[in-house]
Amino acid sequence: MIIFVLLLFAFVTLLTLAKEFKWSFFFGKGELAAHLEIFIPRWSFFAPIPCTHDYHLLFRYFQENGTLSSWKSAHCLTQRPFYSFLWNPKKRQTKAVFDAILELLKFAQKEKDKRQICVSLPYLQLLNYVNSLSLEYKAQKIQFTILSHSQTSDYEVAFISEPHVVG
Amino acid sequence: MIDLFAEISSVYKITLQMLSFATFIHALEDLFGWSHYKRSGILSWNVFRTSSSLLLKKWLSILLSDTLFKSSFILRFCLSLCIFTLSFQSPFSPLMPYLLLTQILLLLLIGLRNAYGLDGAYHMTLVLLLGMLFGTAFPHSPIAICSLIFITVQLLLSYFISGVRKLLSKIWISGGALAGIFSTQCYGHPFLFRIFQQRPTLSRILSLGVILPETLFLVFFLGKPWAFALILWGILFHLSNAIFMGLNTFFFTFLSCYPALLYTFNLVRG
């Protein structure tokens, strides 16, 4: 039993190193490998280049009469309450929006085919999110945009989606 | 103080208590933020399930459906309470490995259902649970010691990798990284941002105050003064991350590794 446990611990440690140093032969390209990779730690927090920008997700909708709404914020970045060192339930949602946005921006940078971008996971995840927010406005079509912003630079459009029929 | 962690059962007891507190907060936060996991939320299963054919399997779809998945949050919350209570009685209770195994499986479901938003605290929790699982399953064998060493190795790796990555980064060495991070609303703090922006030298010193201990954390094993200093640094580092960056679960999970670290220190130093 001890041999098995030692091998398991060594394997997990090896996978940690493989993920960190991007030894792709360890993970391969299969679906199972992609799922396994989710559970392997990545320890390079905020390094080598930390994110120094905030990203804002906004959406607008097209009404049945053809009028266009103004941009509305889909995810409000607000200041954390003082007790967030103990209790911070918004953390995962904030990071999920951030992760999806970063993944979409990276993908959009290297993929030139718009159709591929529109069916990518982060695109669909963000579209699903803004789509549900637009239901209350009885919109016909919806479009979302990502703005980047930092204390040293003004708001910039980082991405703009295609208009989609609200579902 | 360090000698207190030479006895293996007390190390397991303290680790399980700290870890179960961390998983308790994590489960409660997930329950509280359930709306993000719903069909309309950013962590919706509706879209993520289409990302691979594996996730479209019927049994997995049922397991990860909203109703069952929400129940898993409640179960994680209850399991945390059970582990916490049981660890006071006996960390090596025969029931403990089963509770820990269930906790691991439920945590894996979170990653399977939607990988966005997972962080280092989630991964360290998995590492701790895995170590504790084998340690409590074989308490009177060398496996119990190996499990604590495994947790220590992962903790040391986390500091070392993070430290070296920062050491090789110009923005971190110049001190600009801290001002940059604290300027964001996501992980920032307006007061600290102003300070770091106005005092670049202080920003650089504090930057090195993060990079050097992280990179050189192995000196922990040189002797008690080093160990004591680095433990103090670790507590302050994770506490400030929790206070100023809102990384509360990092504080609880990373500090849960410290009893194992101190045990390994005693093992190495004889």
Side-chain angles (χ1 to χ4, degrees), chain B residues 198-211:
Chain B
Q198 287 161 6
R199 297 179 176 81
T201 317
L202 178 71
S203 180
R204 183 181 270 192
I205 292 169
L206 280 176
S207 219
L208 290 174
V210 173
I211 298 168

Side-chain angles (χ1 to χ4, degrees), chain A residues 72-92:
Chain A
K72 295 177 187 300
S73 179
H75 174 243
C76 267
L77 284 170
T78 50
Q79 202 164 340
R80 287 183 306 277
F82 73 94
Y83 51 80
S84 63
F85 68 95
L86 191 68
W87 175 252
N88 190 9
K90 266 193 155 184
K91 187 178 59 224
R92 173 124 201 239

Side-chain angles (χ1 to χ4, degrees), chain A residues 18 35 40-41 56 73 86 91 111 115 123 131 143:
Chain A
H35 286 297
I40 303 300
H56 301 267
S73 179
L86 191 68
K91 187 178 59 224
E111 179 62 63
R115 284 168 303 180
Y123 187 97
N131 178 65
Q143 186 176 32

Side-chain angles (χ1 to χ4, degrees), chain A residues 80 85, chain B residues 182 187-189 191-192 239-246:
Chain A
R80 287 183 306 277
F85 68 95
Chain B
F182 283 106
Y187 294 108
H189 196 279
F191 174 70
L192 284 184
L239 187 65
S240 54
N241 286 346
I243 294 172
F244 299 115
M245 297 174 80

Side-chain angles (χ1 to χ4, degrees), chain B residues 110-176:
Chain B
I110 294 182
L112 264 187
R113 197 176 194 264
N114 202 315
Y116 290 124
L118 295 179
D119 58 15
Y122 170 82
H123 289 118
M124 194 50 101
T125 307
L126 280 178
V127 164
L128 276 157
L129 284 169
L130 191 67
M132 288 290 109
L133 167 68
F134 284 105
T136 53
F138 305 97
H140 308 296
S141 87
I143 292 176
I145 298 170
C146 292
S147 300
L148 295 178
I149 295 172
F150 167 67
I151 293 169
T152 306
V153 167
Q154 284 289 338
L155 180 73
L156 294 174
L157 261 183
S158 76
Y159 286 142
F160 183 72
I161 290 171
S162 180
V164 170
R165 288 256 192 234
K166 289 180 180 105
L167 195 65
L168 299 173
S169 160
K170 274 184 191 167
I171 192 170
W172 271 100
I173 291 293
S174 68

